[in-house]
Amino acid sequence: MEKLKLYGKEFDSRLLVGTALYPSPAIMRESVAASGAEIITLSLRRQSPEQQQGKMIWDYIRESGCQLLPNTAGCKTPKEVIALAEMSREIFTTDWLKLEVIGDDYNLQPDPFGLVEAARELVKRGFKVLPYCTDDLVVCRKLLDVGCEVLMPWGSPIGTGRGLMNKYNLQTLRERLPDTPLIIDAGIGAPSQATEAMEMGFDAVLLNTAVAKAQNPVLMAEAFRLAVESGRAARNAGLMLKRQTASPSTPTLDMPFWQQTASSGEEV
Amino acid sequence: MQLLVNGETVTAKEGDTVAAILEQLGYRGETFAVACNGDFVPRGSYDETRPNSGDSLDIVAPVVGG
């Protein structure tokens, strides 16, 4: 399968996964491995010197070999985003950034205006910005205009598991931005939804909750790996066109028991 | 002077640098980053950045995230 190309780097896997919400750090590590993901998301939060989570995550990061994609989850203004982005770059030593500017606490919908403003400044500062955005074509174009090379439109709100909520908009994005890497980020709840996204031509899928909150996260990670691979293969193979009426797949020629009446030509 | 460190009041000496304050609070290693009044303070500036009384410091470390 052809590689996923993002900001000049190539990846075999088209599944990106988050590291949050797992029952334990061990299950998180095992799930990430089972998913085959080569890009993982993580974040920064206030921490006292006594807390050890930072060190634990740091140790895992060094072992994982994955491309790190720090997020700006929870930020509501470009100022907050810029500060957190700079702190992330210093700690994780990567320019890559999953840009989040939240505009509404209820459905965690991205703020399109803050998103474009923050992306413009981050690109100026040398960040490789992967914005978590809505499926609005105009907003996506503005993000490309300010220098984003990858877009991550939502399937549906974070953590809802509702899948691809607005397929018309998503299909429009795919058709109108054919050369932009598009990653469906958020809202994917089942492997079948990930397959559908890939069949529609999206380049990759980013998810977290669907794996972490499964009864068996490691097995679900494996299921998503297969689903994404399957969807990509199907896209490359070319799906058949839908039809309104039935069409038999078994040949009708030489069907036994079929007769033509001599007088009327009708079947009997 | 009094500072807000991660939202909690901390007493430090007037004129203390960020480096001194971090040392006082027990932060060691390189798995944390600092912002003062919401602005990023690069690690290379810890020795010359002197917060004022009432300033707010945020000290963050890696966590899991989606």
Side-chain angles (χ1 to χ4, degrees):
Chain A
M1 198 179 296
E2 81 279 20
K3 290 178 184 288
L4 172 68
K5 294 175 187 167
L6 305 173
Y7 283 109
K9 284 194 172 184
E10 293 188 342
F11 303 91
D12 290 316
S13 170
R14 292 175 177 270
L15 176 60
L16 296 72
V17 295
T19 54
L21 303 173
Y22 290 87
S24 73
I27 291 176
M28 182 263 282
R29 285 196 291 270
E30 217 180 320
S31 300
V32 171
S35 75
E38 297 167 284
I39 304 174
I40 55 172
T41 58
L42 60 174
S43 197
L44 292 176
R45 285 294 181 264
R46 285 174 169 173
Q47 224 164 91
S48 68
E50 301 80 40
Q51 291 172 290
Q52 291 297 309
Q53 195 189 5
K55 186 177 180 312
M56 183 272 291
I57 295 291
W58 187 248
D59 290 342
Y60 168 65
I61 287 164
R62 284 190 299 196
E63 294 164 10
S64 75
C66 290
Q67 167 67 50
L68 305 182
L69 184 56
N71 69 31
T72 60
C75 288
K76 294 182 176 174
T77 66
K79 179 179 164 61
E80 290 175 358
V81 163
I82 303 301
L84 200 59
E86 292 285 8
M87 289 193 276
S88 291
R89 181 157 61 179
E90 183 176 80
I91 289 184
F92 298 122
T93 61
T94 178
D95 294 333
W96 287 43
L97 189 75
K98 175 181 168 179
L99 171 61
E100 295 185 45
V101 187
I102 299 303
D104 182 86
D105 284 332
Y106 183 73
N107 63 354
L108 300 178
Q109 184 165 336
D111 168 3
F113 307 101
L115 208 54
V116 173
E117 184 184 338
R120 180 184 289 115
E121 179 60 26
L122 289 166
V123 169
K124 275 186 201 163
R125 293 177 182 231
F127 285 93
K128 295 176 173 62
V129 182
L130 294 87
Y132 161 62
C133 55
T134 60
D135 48 28
D136 185 294
L137 174 64
V138 178
V139 173
C140 286
R141 277 194 174 141
K142 300 275 184 199
L143 289 165
L144 295 176
D145 288 346
V146 300
C148 297
E149 294 182 18
V150 180
L151 299 175
M152 303 207 297
W154 67 356
S156 48
I158 296 169
T160 61
R162 301 179 72 86
L164 307 180
M165 198 170 51
N166 192 332
K167 291 178 195 170
Y168 173 81
N169 275 14
L170 291 171
Q171 195 67 56
T172 301
L173 279 186
R174 183 64 290 175
E175 288 170 6
R176 300 292 293 278
L177 306 172
D179 301 321
T180 303
L182 297 176
I183 300 169
I184 293 292
D185 178 10
I188 296 292
S192 56
Q193 296 163 351
T195 302
E196 185 178 24
M198 299 303 292
E199 286 173 351
M200 288 172 70
F202 287 92
D203 295 277
V205 170
L206 195 169
L207 53 90
N208 189 155
T209 311
V211 170
K213 289 298 185 187
Q215 289 183 21
N216 183 335
V218 178
L219 187 57
M220 188 60 82
E222 167 79 3
F224 269 105
R225 181 180 68 74
L226 295 168
V228 168
E229 286 177 6
S230 175
R232 182 65 182 180
R235 173 69 176 186
N236 288 344
L239 295 166
M240 64 165 279
L241 293 175
K242 287 182 182 174
R243 281 192 289 228
Q244 185 62 31
T245 54
S247 175
S249 48
T250 304
T252 51
L253 194 64
D254 294 332
M255 171 67 191
F257 323 121
W258 182 88
Q259 302 292 345
Q260 190 171 41
T261 57
S263 57
S264 65
E266 291 176 352
E267 294 176 24
V268 295
Chain B
M1 63 177 175
Q2 299 232 305
L3 302 169
L4 270 180
V5 178
N6 286 349
E8 294 187 8
T9 303
V10 166
T11 303
K13 281 187 285 183
E14 200 75 37
D16 265 359
T17 62
V18 167
I21 294 162
L22 292 171
E23 177 69 24
Q24 175 192 326
L25 295 174
Y27 287 94
R28 290 181 181 84
E30 295 189 347
T31 55
F32 61 87
V34 177
C36 182
N37 296 330
D39 293 321
F40 171 56
V41 180
R43 186 166 289 272
S45 302
Y46 289 174
D47 284 329
E48 60 225 40
T49 303
R50 298 176 193 279
N52 297 310
S53 186
D55 280 357
S56 174
L57 288 183
D58 282 285
I59 305 170
V60 298
V63 295
V64 293

